[in-house]
Amino acid sequence: VVKKNAIPVSVVPVSAIGKGGPYHSDVNGNTANGGIRGPFRIETLNTKAAPTYPVLWSHDAQRERCMEFEADSEGIIRQGKDDAEGELVNAKADKIWAVSSNCHFNTDFRFNSQSTAMQFTSKKTIGGRAWPSVKLASAEQEKVLVLWANSSLGLLLHWWYANKQQAGRGSIGILALESLPVLDVTNLSEAALSKAVAIFDEMKHKELRPVNEIAQDPVRAEIDRRLATEVLGFPPELASPDGPLALLRQKLALEPSIAGSKHVADE
């Protein structure tokens, strides 16, 4: 039974609410004849740096346990061989920066070692090879999309839609990302959106376990409970310790294509 104040939950493709970022070679890459395809040179970000073009480029599972973490690299605009190429490079850099965002997508999700399907950077950041950007109308909508993506319902759709050729891993490329089904965050009421943003802000630095440990993850259970009851208006029974969402987490943890060769002992 759904409460009377439950909102209509609409699931739509990413392309219906936002836009996926550029392919990584369009950020940092060469043409077939050695020309400049991507306008940036990618360099590791100094801890105390203030980059003009922050970039989230690669994976580090240990620092990616929470929903918000920052850029690991910066983009340095490459030098053209002449003025004409220099102008083209600058134009490409402007185009890439125009689709920078706070929301980024885990395109090659290792379910048995990584924790986050999407993540949020506090400042707009260019998405890279491992974390292409997903740009929505506002940072608030992007926070709610990240919250949804890391709930059990969001993970279920991510797992179902992903290419699972390798055990313990699900891959979704840039083009496929456009049709990934996600919560229609644009359909939330102003009150529901504000509540979801508040939940994200309260939980963004809480450590999540890898997805194969989802059944023993108290933070994931809290995300499920608060998103389902406080934002979507579903009854508390849905998110109770013995309820449907708990059963979903148990089933996901036991799925061979998520666990791979890893097995989690009961706690």
Side-chain angles (χ1 to χ4, degrees), residues 125-225:
T125 298
I126 296 169
R129 181 186 297 271
W131 291 101
S133 55
V134 181
K135 187 176 182 64
L136 275 63
S138 69
E140 289 74 23
Q141 288 184 1
E142 291 177 4
K143 285 183 177 182
V144 180
L145 182 60
V146 171
L147 183 69
W148 159 266
N150 289 297
S151 72
S152 295
L153 293 172
L155 290 170
L156 173 65
L157 290 177
H158 188 124
W159 165 77
W160 182 261
Y161 190 74
N163 182 322
K164 298 177 283 291
Q165 291 184 343
Q166 298 184 52
R169 179 181 299 188
S171 298
I172 299 176
I174 292 289
L175 293 178
L177 170 61
E178 296 286 325
S179 53
L180 172 69
V182 295
L183 176 68
D184 183 0
V185 299
T186 67
N187 192 46
L188 296 176
S189 68
E190 184 176 341
L193 184 72
S194 295
K195 185 61 180 178
V197 168
I199 293 170
F200 175 86
D201 286 340
E202 291 171 24
M203 300 192 66
K204 63 187 179 182
H205 292 143
K206 290 191 175 185
E207 186 171 309
L208 291 154
R209 295 190 182 189
V211 177
N212 68 305
E213 300 178 23
I214 193 171
Q216 291 83 27
D217 190 342
V219 177
R220 198 84 65 178
E222 184 180 359
I223 289 174
D224 285 353
R225 177 184 62 78

Side-chain angles (χ1 to χ4, degrees), residues 7-210:
I7 69 164
V9 178
S10 176
V11 174
V12 297
V14 166
S15 60
I17 60 172
K19 180 176 177 57
Y23 185 62
H24 64 84
S25 292
D26 291 327
V27 177
N28 166 246
N30 294 325
T31 63
N33 61 5
I36 295 177
R37 173 175 173 177
F40 294 105
R41 185 175 75 253
I42 303 300
E43 295 189 357
T44 300
L45 187 60
N46 184 293
T47 304
K48 296 182 179 181
T52 302
Y53 299 103
V55 182
L56 186 59
W57 191 254
S58 58
H59 277 305
D60 180 346
Q62 293 309 310
R63 84 178 194 104
E64 297 169 2
R65 296 296 182 212
C66 55
M67 291 186 287
E68 180 178 291
F69 50 90
E70 306 304 332
D72 59 5
S73 304
E74 64 177 319
I76 308 298
I77 295 182
R78 300 167 69 179
Q79 297 297 313
K81 64 179 182 295
D82 52 35
D83 288 345
E85 187 174 47
E87 290 180 6
L88 180 60
V89 169
N90 287 331
K92 287 183 175 182
D94 289 343
K95 185 177 180 180
I96 295 294
W97 184 247
V99 292
S100 62
S101 67
N102 302 93
C103 175
H104 305 88
F105 175 76
N106 189 345
T107 188
D108 192 22
F109 198 169
R110 297 189 180 187
F111 300 126
N112 58 12
S113 66
Q114 296 171 353
S115 302
T116 44
M118 289 189 187
Q119 73 86 235
F120 190 88
T121 52
S122 63
K123 298 179 180 180
K124 284 189 175 181
T125 298
I126 296 169
R129 181 186 297 271
W131 291 101
S133 55
V134 181
K135 187 176 182 64
L136 275 63
S138 69
E140 289 74 23
Q141 288 184 1
E142 291 177 4
K143 285 183 177 182
V144 180
L145 182 60
V146 171
L147 183 69
W148 159 266
N150 289 297
S151 72
S152 295
L153 293 172
L155 290 170
L156 173 65
L157 290 177
H158 188 124
W159 165 77
W160 182 261
Y161 190 74
N163 182 322
K164 298 177 283 291
Q165 291 184 343
Q166 298 184 52
R169 179 181 299 188
S171 298
I172 299 176
I174 292 289
L175 293 178
L177 170 61
E178 296 286 325
S179 53
L180 172 69
V182 295
L183 176 68
D184 183 0
V185 299
T186 67
N187 192 46
L188 296 176
S189 68
E190 184 176 341
L193 184 72
S194 295
K195 185 61 180 178
V197 168
I199 293 170
F200 175 86
D201 286 340
E202 291 171 24
M203 300 192 66
K204 63 187 179 182
H205 292 143
K206 290 191 175 185
E207 186 171 309
L208 291 154
R209 295 190 182 189

